[in-house]
Amino acid sequence: MSYKFVLVNSDSGIPEQSWVLPTPIVVGRCPTVDITLDDASISRRHCQFLIDPYGALIVRDLGSTNGVYVDGRKVDKATLSMGTEVRIGVLTVRVDLTDDEMDEISQEKSGAVYDLVDTERVQIVQPEEERYEIG
């Protein structure tokens, strides 16, 4: 089984796009993240989906401007069950299980587990005129 992340139309509830990806994945507006959502309400690195040491799927806000909402409540970090809808900015992503195949690159990445206590913000150092913080 793999996780399927489904972008759902907030008004109609109809799926618009989906991704079958292994965790951890980062969602944001930046083209280098795992799921890129081109919407002004989405931060460059908005949130992350990952498996905690106990095997639960977690969503974690990466310091976004407009927040992450699970069941209508703003969260910094939350455990998800299948079918849960997560609002990221003004967009909604539903998490499902699927038997759909991942591509080879995704399969190599599959199975990573992260301890949430050990994860930290990262700063990328660039020339003075192009500095910005990730996370």
Side-chain angles (χ1 to χ4, degrees), residues 67-87:
V68 173
Y69 293 79
V70 175
D71 296 330
R73 292 181 309 153
K74 188 173 184 177
V75 298
D76 289 324
K77 176 176 62 175
T79 302
L80 304 176
S81 55
M82 293 311 101
T84 298
E85 291 189 349
V86 178
R87 196 175 87 217

Side-chain angles (χ1 to χ4, degrees), residues 40-57:
S41 69
I42 307 295
S43 296
R44 287 184 308 243
R45 292 177 44 87
H46 199 100
C47 68
Q48 180 180 42
F49 291 91
L50 57 132
I51 303 297
D52 75 3
Y54 305 102
L57 180 64

